[in-house]
Amino acid sequence: MVSSPHEAMHRIFQQYPDLFSGVSEVLGLDFPRPTSFTVLPNDLTETSPVERRVDTLVRLETENDEPLLLAVESQGGKDPDKPASWAYYASYLLTKYRLQPMLLVVCQDRATAEWAAREVGFGPRQWPLLTLRPLVAGPHNMPVITDPAEVRKDLVLATLATITHAKHPDAGVILKSMTTVLRDTPQNVANPIIELIAQGLGKHPAAQLWRKLVAVDLSFYKSDLSEEIRDEGRAEGRAEDILDVLDVRGIDVPEAVRERITGCGDPDILRHWHRRAVTAPTAEAIFKDE
């Protein structure tokens, strides 16, 4: 099953193909900045029934060099079958488009990134036929950006860096630097960035922190995600109000009752329980007839 971080780590290159210039510069490579780009179909299936799809495929035009085919793969874990698939992608793309292919693998896990970055040889040891050398961006080499001034220099690169550092111990500072900049960013630019980060953080603990920061710092933001975040915020506030009423009245709240209250995300149910908490003889009584 494809995860939301998997999608975010390669789709960002569909929305912002010139991001590859910033990534290659961070990784110490000198690729010319593209003058134009075309997002190509990612289906690499041949007439045989074997289906193969690269995550994202972009043709980058440059001013002086040949066009470059950039294949972007999101990799969530070590997979011994992947190097052979990547070698196939490179060969197929060269054959089909007659352009030099480049493979960029994006990871959130350091061990996976270091695994993906290894050179892999194909052929007998006496005469190796091919050597696969993917370019890898991940927590081992992407910058940890905690200064809003650095975010402003390249917002899209900072977005990718934020996603790749989803597990970083300073994730809170990284995310705060993003919302600080996004507050002053035009909405048409900020909104897709907000969505990409939410998608890229997936189910990591930093995802909940991002949702809270969006609700507090980016009140202009309007989308299904923003409404969901604000509903969660309203639910948390009502749950706290219920517990406060019971506390003021000296009513003991068993752990099971506390968990049921704080775990409820329906504002209407919480409002109903809040009214009952004013007169209920016990904490359990707020759930009467339910």
Side-chain angles (χ1 to χ4, degrees):
M1 183 176 177
V2 175
S3 65
S4 60
H6 177 280
E7 292 296 286
M9 285 191 292
H10 74 85
R11 287 186 182 276
I12 188 172
F13 288 89
Q14 294 180 17
Q15 293 182 236
Y16 310 97
D18 58 345
L19 168 62
F20 180 64
S21 296
V23 172
S24 61
E25 183 177 339
V26 165
L27 302 184
L29 299 174
D30 184 23
F31 283 96
R33 186 166 290 275
T35 54
S36 64
F37 53 81
T38 306
V39 177
L40 301 174
N42 65 343
D43 190 346
L44 307 185
T45 307
E46 298 188 79
T47 54
S48 64
V50 178
E51 181 179 308
R52 299 181 189 271
R53 293 180 187 273
V54 66
D55 288 333
T56 285
L57 180 62
V58 183
R59 173 179 169 139
L60 302 176
E61 305 284 346
T62 62
E63 195 163 323
N64 298 316
D65 292 359
E66 286 187 359
L68 176 71
L69 283 179
L70 175 65
V72 183
E73 284 276 284
S74 299
Q75 192 64 31
K78 299 177 183 179
D79 182 350
D81 294 330
K82 270 296 183 177
S85 296
W86 292 338
Y88 170 87
Y89 297 166
S91 175
Y92 179 85
L93 291 171
L94 180 61
T95 302
K96 180 176 180 178
Y97 292 100
R98 297 296 174 183
L99 294 172
Q100 294 302 321
M102 169 60 70
L103 173 65
L104 174 65
V105 181
V106 186
C107 308
Q108 288 180 310
D109 176 71
R110 184 184 184 93
T112 301
E114 292 176 345
W115 163 82
R118 297 175 309 157
E119 289 189 7
V120 179
F122 297 91
R125 60 179 176 78
Q126 297 90 338
W127 195 270
L129 176 64
L130 298 171
T131 300
L132 178 72
R133 295 182 62 206
L135 190 61
V136 179
H140 67 307
N141 58 9
M142 290 298 287
V144 177
I145 304 177
T146 58
D147 182 351
E150 291 300 312
V151 173
R152 286 190 176 90
K153 288 180 181 178
D154 193 330
L155 181 57
V156 178
L157 179 65
T159 300
L160 181 65
T162 297
I163 292 170
T164 58
H165 288 297
K167 302 178 184 178
H168 197 280
D170 290 332
V173 183
I174 295 170
L175 295 174
K176 183 65 177 180
S177 70
M178 292 298 299
T179 57
T180 299
V181 172
L182 290 170
R183 261 202 312 263
D184 305 323
T185 302
Q187 289 187 41
N188 64 322
V189 176
N191 286 0
I193 296 291
I194 296 168
E195 292 285 345
L196 275 167
I197 293 175
Q199 186 180 27
L201 295 178
K203 295 182 180 179
H204 295 297
Q208 286 303 314
L209 178 56
W210 179 244
R211 297 165 79 86
K212 291 178 181 177
L213 285 171
V214 169
V216 174
D217 291 353
L218 306 177
S219 57
F220 65 82
Y221 179 56
K222 306 295 181 186
S223 76
D224 291 341
L225 172 65
S226 66
E227 290 308 308
E228 183 182 337
I229 291 170
R230 291 183 178 95
D231 284 344
E232 287 178 359
R234 286 191 287 267
E236 288 176 6
R238 289 195 176 110
E240 290 175 3
D241 289 344
I242 295 169
L243 295 173
D244 284 345
V245 169
L246 294 173
D247 180 58
V248 168
R249 294 185 59 220
I251 303 290
D252 180 61
V253 182
E255 190 59 32
V257 173
R258 184 179 300 274
E259 289 180 0
R260 184 172 177 182
I261 292 171
T262 57
C264 179
D266 188 322
D268 292 332
I269 292 175
L270 288 167
R271 187 183 300 110
H272 183 56
W273 291 347
H274 185 235
R275 289 172 180 165
R276 284 186 168 179
V278 176
T279 58
T282 67
E284 292 88 344
I286 68 172
F287 309 132
K288 185 179 178 182
D289 301 328
E290 293 185 11

